[in-house]
Amino acid sequence: MILVDNLGYRYPKQTELALRDVSARVDPDEVVGIVGPNGSGKSTLGRLMKGLLWPSEGRATVDGLDTRTHGLEARRLVGLVFQNPNSQIVNAVVEQEVAFGLENLGLPPEDIRRRVDSALNSVGLIGRELEECYRLSMADKQRVALAAVIAMEPKYLILDEPTAWLEPTVRWPLLEEVLRWRAERRAGLVLVTHRMDEAQTCDRLYGMLDGRVEAQGTPEDVLQDRTIRAKLALDVPETFELAASLRAGGVPVAEGTSIDRLAERISA
């Protein structure tokens, strides 16, 4: 479990806390969303969960490991994919990028090959191992960045606005690839997002504003509350309201349903 308890964080040379009194948890085999407007502290919380930042107040632990005192061990359990893949990719060739972290761990070549192939297959890039990263589209760069992280076989995966640069036609396939990988690995997933259609895929949501957790619960709990939606400036996707109407009419559709899935469910 990733657990943050009464967490506070102040950036260097700043007087005000960027996060204050934040408590949250991520259980294994759970999808947790962190939502809220820009500047609310979503990305900062993700970095504290990963152990890239140390709390100014409170504690952050990963499976009981305090990120302050057992930082290396904790960070190895948590993978983090940044919003912009250009800030994460450091190698010229796809397979070199995916193998980079594994080589730093000193793994045997056969294990590296197995993990690289498995990760590339998970994100739909198998057969493109020798392509040059700089020539790839933003969508494929994000796939490479994701593959490099999941090749490390983390127990938890944090995605920080992973589809912010992507068009809807490519962002949903990428997100579905991630969710499929998570389900197969039974890994915990944290999805930092401002897209409410993506937030609907989560088991639980934390809604943030001005560095605090202002709301938490299932996507239905959070998104159906008009006061919370207005306070956090959350846009409810049309599919949410359509699914709610269908459920009210006796059609058994789940929350977090894309328009394509709704169409499939109705025609089934």
Side-chain angles (χ1 to χ4, degrees), residues 116-163:
V116 168
D117 290 345
S118 177
L120 289 174
N121 185 61
S122 295
V123 301
L125 287 179
I126 199 71
R128 302 178 65 180
E129 295 85 349
L130 300 181
E131 292 190 23
E132 296 177 311
C133 293
Y134 80 94
R135 292 181 178 272
L136 299 176
S137 67
M138 286 297 289
D140 285 339
K141 286 181 180 179
Q142 194 66 291
R143 284 188 167 89
V144 172
L146 178 61
V149 171
I150 66 177
M152 303 292 286
E153 298 184 353
K155 187 172 180 180
Y156 304 92
L157 178 62
I158 300 174
L159 304 181
D160 187 0
E161 301 278 9
T163 64

Side-chain angles (χ1 to χ4, degrees), residues 20-217:
R20 50 182 71 79
D21 299 322
V22 172
S23 294
R25 79 173 196 277
V26 182
D27 294 326
D29 197 21
E30 180 184 35
V31 183
V32 172
I34 303 176
V35 299
N38 291 337
S40 60
K42 304 188 301 294
S43 295
T44 300
L45 179 56
R47 283 159 174 73
L48 284 156
M49 287 179 168
K50 164 67 175 175
L52 294 181
L53 302 176
W54 287 352
S56 304
E57 300 174 359
R59 298 178 70 223
T61 60
V62 181
D63 288 353
L65 298 170
D66 193 301
T67 57
R68 274 187 168 276
T69 57
H70 297 83
L72 181 59
E73 297 97 319
R75 287 193 296 274
R76 284 181 174 175
L77 295 173
V78 184
L80 173 63
V81 179
F82 294 104
Q83 175 178 339
N84 188 343
N86 289 324
S87 65
Q88 192 157 356
I89 294 174
V90 297
N91 288 276
V93 177
V94 168
E95 69 175 3
Q96 292 174 353
E97 176 65 21
V98 180
F100 183 69
L102 304 174
E103 292 170 344
N104 286 338
L105 291 179
L107 296 182
E110 58 272 19
D111 286 350
I112 293 175
R113 185 73 266 168
R114 174 185 60 79
R115 289 203 195 186
V116 168
D117 290 345
S118 177
L120 289 174
N121 185 61
S122 295
V123 301
L125 287 179
I126 199 71
R128 302 178 65 180
E129 295 85 349
L130 300 181
E131 292 190 23
E132 296 177 311
C133 293
Y134 80 94
R135 292 181 178 272
L136 299 176
S137 67
M138 286 297 289
D140 285 339
K141 286 181 180 179
Q142 194 66 291
R143 284 188 167 89
V144 172
L146 178 61
V149 171
I150 66 177
M152 303 292 286
E153 298 184 353
K155 187 172 180 180
Y156 304 92
L157 178 62
I158 300 174
L159 304 181
D160 187 0
E161 301 278 9
T163 64
W165 294 77
L166 309 182
E167 296 296 325
T169 54
V170 293
R171 68 182 176 89
W172 270 109
L174 178 60
L175 184 59
E176 288 174 347
E177 287 161 4
V178 173
L179 293 171
R180 183 169 54 251
W181 174 87
R182 185 215 66 79
E184 291 172 352
R185 300 282 304 177
R186 300 184 67 85
L189 174 64
V190 178
L191 181 60
V192 179
T193 183
H194 68 279
R195 301 182 188 275
M196 292 306 99
D197 53 350
E198 295 178 3
Q200 289 178 257
T201 66
C202 299
D203 299 309
R204 288 187 298 114
L205 296 181
Y206 289 98
M208 299 193 66
L209 181 68
D210 296 330
R212 296 181 184 272
V213 173
E214 293 288 345
Q216 59 181 292

